[in-house]
Amino acid sequence: MLPVVALVGRPNVGKSTLFNALTRSRDALVADMPGVTRDRHYGVCRLGPSPFVVVDTGGLSGNDEGIEGLTALQVRAAIAEANLLVFVVDARDGILPLDAAILNELRRSGKPVMVVVNKTDGVDETLALGEFASFGIADTLPMSAAHNRGVDTLVAKALSYLPDDRDDDPGLEDQGIRVAIVGRPNAGKSTLINRLLGEDRLIVSDVAGTTRDPIRVSLERDGRRYTLVDTAGVRRRARVEEAVEKFSVIKTLQSISASQVTIVMIDARENLADQDLTLIGHAIEEGRALVIAVNKWDGMDSYQREQTQKALERRLQFAEWAKTVFISALHGSGLRELMKAVIRAHAAATKELTSSELTRTLEKAYEAYQPPLVRGHAPKLRYAHPGGSNPPTIVIHGSRTKHIAPAYRRYLEGFFRKRFRLEGTPVRIDFRDGENPFAGKKNVLTEGQQRRRQRMIRNAKRREK
């Protein structure tokens, strides 16, 4: 395993900015307001000769109640697993009483501590370092994470504290099936991941919008590896006011694009909302394999369940190929079936198809039902070949394919889906007209054709005389 470095400090001192600088990414959400980060956020720093894991944590505010108290629990979990603690402070604010309290807690952990004096751009570094020298920490470094100044020095110093007998770098690269879990706020996404992991890895609260950053978590279950991505809840655009929430929504949509399978979580007690349909439509548009998880199924009576099922069947006809699983993330019911649906959807989305199989299936579909006539002529479909996977793309060559009706496209999609058991993934059909080999060429006659043409002209003139 790679050694772990945890970034700890007050809210809004620049921990997420430093995390992005160390990991050379934009994974951590950054805003000029305190309390943006809440969960532990992991990444890998590869700037030095040896990589290590970086953990971005929420700010410690000294309050152990509500969301801030849950955030503090996540910070302390990061401290417990870290090999090195990087205490980030703000050069512009100077030493605050909360900084001293946090440092005392870090010292009690028994882990080595470095101090990073961030936001030194525009201030006198000597004065800033002199003030924080009262902490008594040997390695106190100036830093401007926003301008990437001091990052290399920090990496070099951090490596001197980390163990040398490390693995070659399994890293935090995405392992196994990449699964994005999306839905409206308070649908139970974080609860689901915690239940699958068997630990309180993510903050769970009745307050909607608790999760802001997309959080990647590795999971091994029944011999398979997954990378689960917990995302921020997505509300209707009219209700989104804060800039942080807008960026959270953008990162959620990016997580769908980067996933292989998307789980859309629906609150059974609130039925299917338009925003749920929007998320499902976005996943289909991106070509992601799809599983629909109806959460909070426990506690509903038979009549409520029946009405919910009917509403789902009626409104999800456009994605009837997606598996719907009824679960309780809180109590763990239905999770085995949910993960089986994820495996089947991933297998279908990445299934390898051959040209011969696709062409034979196309011939059978064409024989069973031919496309409607176009100006008295029937479109011809000659052969098919694979055009890609995730989603499965089938390229069909023929003539007059530009005039094929959408209904016939859906017929072919259903025929291929049934033949190859493509459950849980969209299927794309790409029609291509065969090129005319004589298009754009002059009508050039052979010598024999020219002699016959001249003979016919002479005979016609003789008959006129």
Side-chain angles (χ1 to χ4, degrees), residues 201-359:
R201 170 64 179 81
L202 302 173
I203 295 177
V204 176
S205 172
D206 291 334
V207 178
T210 300
T211 302
R212 288 173 169 172
D213 281 297
I215 306 297
R216 291 173 176 81
V217 181
S218 297
L219 170 68
E220 185 170 352
R221 182 184 177 96
D222 297 331
R224 291 182 180 269
R225 291 182 176 272
Y226 306 86
T227 297
L228 307 179
V229 184
D230 184 24
T231 61
V234 178
R235 299 191 295 172
R236 285 187 298 142
R237 185 178 299 178
R239 295 187 178 182
V240 178
E241 297 179 355
E242 293 184 0
V244 172
E245 186 172 357
K246 292 179 181 178
F247 285 119
S248 296
V249 171
I250 291 172
K251 285 186 172 289
T252 295
L253 300 181
Q254 291 174 343
S255 297
I256 293 176
S257 302
S259 69
Q260 293 173 311
V261 181
T262 297
I263 297 177
V264 177
M265 291 197 68
I266 298 170
D267 191 334
R269 296 178 295 187
E270 297 184 10
N271 293 323
L272 194 64
D274 291 339
Q275 192 60 36
D276 295 320
L277 297 175
T278 300
L279 286 172
I280 293 172
H282 184 78
I284 295 174
E285 189 176 316
E286 290 292 333
R288 301 305 94 182
L290 180 64
V291 177
I292 298 170
V294 183
N295 192 27
K296 305 180 184 179
W297 193 242
D298 52 316
M300 299 179 68
D301 57 37
S302 58
Y303 175 76
Q304 291 173 323
R305 292 185 176 186
E306 182 181 355
Q307 293 301 310
T308 300
Q309 287 178 318
K310 288 182 178 179
L312 289 172
E313 291 173 1
R314 183 178 67 255
R315 303 195 68 189
L316 290 177
Q317 289 183 356
F318 70 100
E320 58 184 1
W321 42 265
K323 178 70 173 177
T324 301
V325 184
F326 301 92
I327 68 170
S328 171
L330 183 62
H331 299 102
S333 60
L335 298 192
R336 182 175 295 276
E337 185 180 356
L338 175 65
M339 300 312 292
K340 287 182 179 179
V342 169
I343 293 170
R344 287 195 296 268
H346 176 261
T350 57
K351 187 170 186 176
E352 294 185 2
L353 306 173
T354 63
S355 299
S356 57
E357 291 177 328
L358 292 174
T359 300

Side-chain angles (χ1 to χ4, degrees), residues 7-8 13-25 28 30 47 54 56 86-88 116 118 143-146 148-151 154:
L7 308 180
V8 187
V13 294
K15 298 183 296 298
S16 295
T17 305
L18 179 56
F19 174 89
N20 287 343
L22 289 170
T23 59
R24 288 293 188 267
S25 71
V30 177
L47 300 181
V54 185
D56 182 24
V86 174
F87 181 32
V88 184
V116 166
N118 194 26
M143 174 74 62
S144 176
N148 208 33
R149 287 197 299 107
V151 174
L154 171 61

Side-chain angles (χ1 to χ4, degrees), residues 163-224:
D164 294 328
D165 52 344
R166 64 198 73 173
D167 294 337
D168 284 337
D169 184 15
L172 283 183
E173 300 296 333
D174 289 347
Q175 298 179 353
I177 305 174
R178 297 190 301 276
V179 183
I181 302 175
V182 302
R184 285 181 291 153
N186 217 23
K189 302 179 291 296
S190 299
T191 304
L192 173 61
I193 292 182
N194 285 346
R195 188 72 188 190
L196 289 171
L197 293 174
E199 62 173 298
D200 292 333
R201 170 64 179 81
L202 302 173
I203 295 177
V204 176
S205 172
D206 291 334
V207 178
T210 300
T211 302
R212 288 173 169 172
D213 281 297
I215 306 297
R216 291 173 176 81
V217 181
S218 297
L219 170 68
E220 185 170 352
R221 182 184 177 96
D222 297 331
R224 291 182 180 269

Side-chain angles (χ1 to χ4, degrees), residues 99-142:
D99 290 325
I102 294 173
L103 181 59
N104 289 334
E105 183 171 352
L106 298 184
R107 281 177 166 147
R108 286 196 297 270
S109 70
K111 306 289 180 68
V113 179
M114 294 176 57
V115 175
V116 166
V117 184
N118 194 26
K119 304 182 184 180
T120 56
D121 45 309
V123 302
D124 190 323
E125 282 190 8
T126 304
L127 293 177
L129 293 177
E131 180 179 3
F132 287 97
S134 61
F135 283 160
I137 303 296
D139 287 318
T140 300
L141 309 176

